[in-house]
């Protein structure tokens, strides 16, 4: 089995990143990575709310995160940005950012000091979705990884199959004169859907929470099809009956939906692989789509780093640590406050991951 979680008495003196009440801390460089409490210097892997929190004095992030970070943390935050692969030296610590393939601007943080290289992954996925640079393996001695979907049941459909299903559902609804309301988180998931669906089927209407983030993606050069707001002159009743409507989960059950009349609804999330999660959402369809690595991808990413020591931060941590130790690696858990954001885990909170030894749950209907 892996070692016990870190505490102040067990941290080896050579560790480049340690656990503190504020977050993951680099003592040599005097900075934090994705701290959950305000600190003087914060390196941010990406702009989801559980990794990018308000109140720190100075932020460092990838240059493509600037729009989303200023949108979410405030236009006047003290923000320094880097391109992927560029390096800075801070108190003798060499730091660089590398693509994580999660959302626009997402980055792994590489830290080098005293002959040791550590990489903190943030959240990541391996399949290229076209809306951000794909995950880049970074060789290191110690890899700090997420494990949101770190159970063997989680295996995602390939993008072409996923979007074929979504397009077929939308086209059938449009032919029946019904709008297709697809709930997806406003940052990352909504833009990935926009990039992948067939805009020839009908108009695409986006909720007000999605629209400003689309603008950030378009400004970064990501190709997204034209979209309407429901108040735009082009959004006539006839057009709305053929439309794909992208909205955050919080829009469910609100008066905003009444504008679309009779409609079919669906939810896009990795948790939709579990039938119970889809049932609790109460939607007509569940599409299995995640911004996080599935079980095979987590294994592949960890192996590609060449790291002999793995620290797991959030998700199915105990299962992942046990599996890593069985592979002969030195693995343990950092107890963090990641995973309670408005991204995947809202749905996950309604659908606790099954236990490792429990029978596999029923898969959602295709």
């Amino acid at each position: 089995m892996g070692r016990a979680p870190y505490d102040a008495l067990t941290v080896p003196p050579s560790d480049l990143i340690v656990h503190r009440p504020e977050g993951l801390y680099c003592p040599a460089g005097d900075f934090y990575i994705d701290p959950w409490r305000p600190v003087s210097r914060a390196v941010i892997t990406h702009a989801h709310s559980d990794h990018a929190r308000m109140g720190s004095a100075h932020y460092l992030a990838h240059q493509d995160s600037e729009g989303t970070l200023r949108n979410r943390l405030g236009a006047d935050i003290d923000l320094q940005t880097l391109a992927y692969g560029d390096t800075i030296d801070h108190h003798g610590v060499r730091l660089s950012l590398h693509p994580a393939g999660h959302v626009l601007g997402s980055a792994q943080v590489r830290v080098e000091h005293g002959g040791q290289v550590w990489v903190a992954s943030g959240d990541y996925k391996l399949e290229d979705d076209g809306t951000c640079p794909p995950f880049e393996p970074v060789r290191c001695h110690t890899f700090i990884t997420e494990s949101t979907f770190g159970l063997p049941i989680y295996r995602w459909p390939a993008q072409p199959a996923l979007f074929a299903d979504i397009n077929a559902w939308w086209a059938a609804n449009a032919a029946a004169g019904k709008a297709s309301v697809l709930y997806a988180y406003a940052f990352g998931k909504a833009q990935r859907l926009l990039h992948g669906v067939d805009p020839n089927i009908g108009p695409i209407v986006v909720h007000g929470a999605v629209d400003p983030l689309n603008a950030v993606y378009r400004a970064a050069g990501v190709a997204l099809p034209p979209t309407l707001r429901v108040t735009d002159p082009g959004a006539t009743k006839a057009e709305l009956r053929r439309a794909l409507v992208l909205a955050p989960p919080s829009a469910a059950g609100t008066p905003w939906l009444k504008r679309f009349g009779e409609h079919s609804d669906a939810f896009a999330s990795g948790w939709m692989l579990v039938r119970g999660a889809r049932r609790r959402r109460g939607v007509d369809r569940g599409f299995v789509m995640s911004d996080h690595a599935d079980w095979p991808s987590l294994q592949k990413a960890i192996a590609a780093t060449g790291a002999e020591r793995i620290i797991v931060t959030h998700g199915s941590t105990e299962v992942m640590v046990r599996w890593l130790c069985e592979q002969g690696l030195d693995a343990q858990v950092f107890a963090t406050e990641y995973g309670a954001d408005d991204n995947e885990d809202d749905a996950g909170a309604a659908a606790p991951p099954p236990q490792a030894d429990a029978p596999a749950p029923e898969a959602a209907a295709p």
Side-chain angles (χ1 to χ4, degrees), residues 100-329:
H102 179 58
V103 294
L104 183 68
S106 59
Q108 304 169 81
V109 181
R110 182 186 186 274
V111 178
E112 180 178 357
H113 179 73
Q116 287 290 307
V117 176
W118 288 46
V119 172
S121 73
D123 292 334
Y124 63 91
K125 75 173 189 307
L126 268 57
E127 187 175 23
D128 183 6
D129 65 19
T131 65
C132 60
F135 177 88
E136 173 186 293
V138 182
R139 303 286 290 181
C140 57
H141 298 98
T142 300
F143 185 52
I144 302 175
T145 182
E146 65 134 321
S147 186
T148 302
F149 289 102
L151 289 176
I153 64 164
Y154 292 114
R155 297 166 190 269
W156 309 147
Q159 283 228 142
L162 167 69
F163 282 105
D165 276 352
I166 294 174
N167 288 332
W169 168 74
W170 178 17
N173 291 332
K178 294 190 298 186
S180 302
V181 178
L182 180 51
Y183 298 114
Y185 293 104
F187 172 36
K189 200 74 66 65
Q191 292 74 35
R192 183 177 168 192
L193 287 164
L194 276 172
H195 185 77
V197 296
D198 179 3
N200 296 311
I201 296 173
I204 302 174
V205 178
V206 298
H207 188 273
V210 175
D211 202 33
L213 292 161
N214 289 347
V216 173
Y217 271 70
R218 288 181 173 119
V222 179
L224 300 180
T227 54
L228 296 170
R229 295 285 294 274
V230 72
T231 52
D232 288 344
T236 64
K237 287 186 177 179
E239 289 293 279
L240 294 182
R241 285 196 292 269
R242 299 190 304 117
L244 175 67
V245 182
L246 293 181
S250 59
T254 64
W256 183 80
L257 282 177
K258 293 181 179 177
R259 298 168 183 264
F260 303 103
E262 183 184 6
H263 61 270
S264 178
D265 58 6
F267 193 87
S269 168
W271 303 113
M272 292 296 102
L273 191 66
V274 181
R275 184 184 297 276
R278 192 185 60 167
R279 184 170 59 246
R280 280 184 283 273
R281 281 285 171 188
V283 292
D284 298 328
R285 289 289 303 267
F287 294 109
V288 179
M289 173 181 165
S290 179
D291 296 332
H292 296 258
D294 62 4
W295 174 254
S297 295
L298 286 167
Q299 297 177 28
K300 184 177 179 180
I302 291 168
T305 67
E308 296 181 348
R309 184 177 174 191
I310 311 297
I311 300 172
V312 186
T313 56
H314 59 294
S316 301
T317 54
E318 298 302 330
V319 174
M320 179 58 74
V321 165
R322 186 172 71 182
W323 183 85
L324 291 167
C325 291
E326 289 171 353
Q327 311 312 307
L329 297 169

Side-chain angles (χ1 to χ4, degrees), residues 53-72:
R53 305 196 188 216
M54 301 178 69
S56 289
H58 178 83
Y59 294 92
L60 173 72
H62 184 262
Q63 59 190 19
D64 284 347
S65 283
E66 180 165 4
T68 46
L69 285 174
R70 293 195 186 280
N71 181 284
R72 295 198 151 193

